[in-house]
Amino acid sequence: MESKSSVIKEVRKILDKNLELRGLRKTPERYAIINEIYSYNHHFDADELYNRMIKKNYRVSKATIYNTLDLLVNIDLVSRHIFKDNLAKYEKSFGFKQHDHIILDNDEILEFCDPRIQLIKNSVEEMFDVEIKDHSLYFFGTKKKK
Amino acid sequence: MESKSSVIKEVRKILDKNLELRGLRKTPERYAIINEIYSYNHHFDADELYNRMIKKNYRVSKATIYNTLDLLVNIDLVSRHIFKDNLAKYEKSFGFKQHDHIILDNDEILEFCDPRIQLIKNSVEEMFDVEIKDHSLYFFGTKKKK
DNA sequence: ATGGATGCAAACTGTTTGCACTACT
DNA sequence: AGTAGTGCAAACAGTTTGCATCCAT
């Protein structure tokens, strides 16, 4: 099992490489933000991230938060979900098994992973002659009371 | 094969029954809106619906559009999707096989239906002891060039 | 030094809300 | 008659944008 600090080290390296490749600047904000994100478990939104960083006396602007989230989503270090209407939620995505979500009535979020989704993907690719790069699957439900 | 006009007749009846059951009023706006929606094929958003009705000289307000869409989604005559960030898309849903969506790079939307999603649903219900009421599955991809 | 990235605030967009008025029951 | 539902405009929330400044290159 990999230690926590080795994950973030690895992630910073990936970010590094991507910034170089794209000719983007290695600003301290970008590293601070990825650090912060990888210290979380599970989901957060832009406002949450912003507020937590401000509370730690790290000076960032909303603009930078949004810019950086876009960047990180593009290079696949962070993934974006829209669980409820009109609010983007994010979560770290490197080194974590890809998974889908169950959204319960009480806003609880469960995660699962089912290999059959890959089979559906394959069928779809063949049927429509398309190349699928990503998917999102949500189930909506309620906890069964016993 | 059912004719177009019999679908809308059926749909109006369902709306009728639901309004009665819930003690809601049968306002002309509600019928005008469901009529309009069922004259479309595929997806639209609230603004589109509003503008089309205005253009036909039917006086509705945005508030009523949104209220009625909520109502229709609740009674399952219309379904809501969020394809891109922060914009709800709707489509009629009565008498049409439930299906999922493939969103292509060029904003084209394909539809498909795969029974294996039900199997995944069953597994999830059992695994987490939850009751799944709905799901949404999107694939994101590109057309293969040959 | 140069222009990409930032901070800040204002602008934008889709949606919701408050309130006076209308009309279904 | 009573009140749910409507139209309108203002408010709202999340996100984007414009611009002056800053700092990584």
Side-chain angles (χ1 to χ4, degrees), chain A residues 22-36:
Chain A
R22 298 171 187 231
L24 301 175
R25 292 187 180 168
K26 300 180 183 178
T27 64
E29 287 83 358
R30 286 172 171 161
Y31 291 95
I33 289 173
I34 192 94
N35 255 1
E36 182 69 19

Side-chain angles (χ1 to χ4, degrees), chain A:
Chain A
M1 171 128 183
E2 247 177 339
S3 79
K4 218 172 191 175
S5 68
S6 90
V7 169
I8 182 62
K9 241 181 250 174
E10 185 72 21
V11 164
R12 292 172 72 105
K13 230 190 290 177
I14 294 172
L15 177 55
D16 248 53
K17 203 169 285 177
N18 267 282
L19 293 177
E20 281 166 22
L21 231 68
R22 298 171 187 231
L24 301 175
R25 292 187 180 168
K26 300 180 183 178
T27 64
E29 287 83 358
R30 286 172 171 161
Y31 291 95
I33 289 173
I34 192 94
N35 255 1
E36 182 69 19
I37 291 175
Y38 271 77
S39 78
Y40 302 159
N41 294 310
H42 307 305
H43 313 90
F44 62 91
D45 60 40
D47 207 53
E48 232 171 289
L49 177 57
Y50 172 76
N51 286 320
R52 289 210 194 206
M53 295 193 74
I54 292 298
K55 199 167 288 174
K56 287 184 181 178
N57 294 314
Y58 193 94
R59 265 172 119 279
V60 240
S61 66
K62 287 268 179 88
T64 300
I65 291 283
Y66 280 105
N67 285 340
T68 305
L69 281 171
D70 272 1
L71 170 68
L72 296 176
V73 168
N74 280 332
I75 66 184
D76 281 324
L77 288 177
V78 169
S79 63
R80 190 201 318 262
H81 310 284
I82 307 199
F83 294 132
K84 325 182 59 170
D85 298 353
N86 307 323
L87 178 57
K89 288 275 193 179
Y90 300 85
E91 79 189 309
K92 60 188 174 187
S93 63
F94 174 79
F96 297 87
K97 197 161 64 175
Q98 73 92 57
H99 57 262
D100 293 297
H101 297 93
I102 307 163
I103 291 106
L104 298 182
D105 281 347
N106 58 344
D107 278 334
E108 204 180 332
I109 297 171
L110 306 174
E111 300 175 352
F112 71 98
C113 189
D114 194 301
R116 282 170 291 192
I117 192 70
Q118 291 307 318
L119 304 179
I120 300 178
K121 188 193 106 174
N122 295 340
S123 301
V124 161
E125 287 187 314
E126 197 172 341
M127 189 177 320
F128 293 96
D129 195 38
V130 293
E131 189 190 331
I132 300 301
K133 294 178 299 193
D134 199 9
H135 79 267
S136 79
L137 169 59
Y138 303 119
F139 283 114
F140 303 92
T142 333
K143 244 180 201 150
K144 251 183 213 151
K145 42 201 153 219
K146 44 187 158 213

